[in-house]
Amino acid sequence: MIEVFKTNVQEVEESIMILGKLLEHFPNSIVNFDLEDCDKILRVHGSSIPNQKIIELLNSHGFQCEALP
């Protein structure tokens, strides 16, 4: 299962920090950012991905995040 999120993460350093936090919570997932995309896409690939937890994690670090259909 792959979930895709629109974010407002701008900097590579920010994305590295967020990726680390996501992997702490979801260690068996594959996560990556596409900061070149206009929507600053975050992709999370894993067996069970709780969208709301991912959104809350980014929000708690001051970033906007919304699941894309």
Side-chain angles (χ1 to χ4, degrees):
M1 168 183 264
I2 298 175
E3 294 292 338
V4 181
F5 301 87
K6 176 181 177 178
T7 74
N8 68 338
V9 174
Q10 300 291 321
E11 304 295 327
V12 172
E13 295 80 16
E14 295 170 338
S15 70
I16 292 170
M17 184 271 295
I18 293 294
L19 292 175
K21 297 293 182 187
L22 287 168
L23 289 172
E24 283 177 23
H25 288 83
F26 310 104
N28 297 322
S29 297
I30 299 169
V31 294
N32 63 58
F33 274 97
D34 181 356
L35 298 180
E36 299 295 319
D37 188 277
C38 65
D39 288 332
K40 309 301 182 195
I41 296 295
L42 166 64
R43 287 183 193 85
V44 182
H45 181 257
S47 57
S48 142
I49 304 164
N51 285 2
Q52 196 55 40
K53 287 291 267 185
I54 291 170
I55 292 168
E56 288 171 6
L57 181 71
L58 267 79
N59 290 167
S60 73
H61 290 283
F63 296 103
Q64 296 173 354
C65 179
E66 65 181 80
L68 293 178

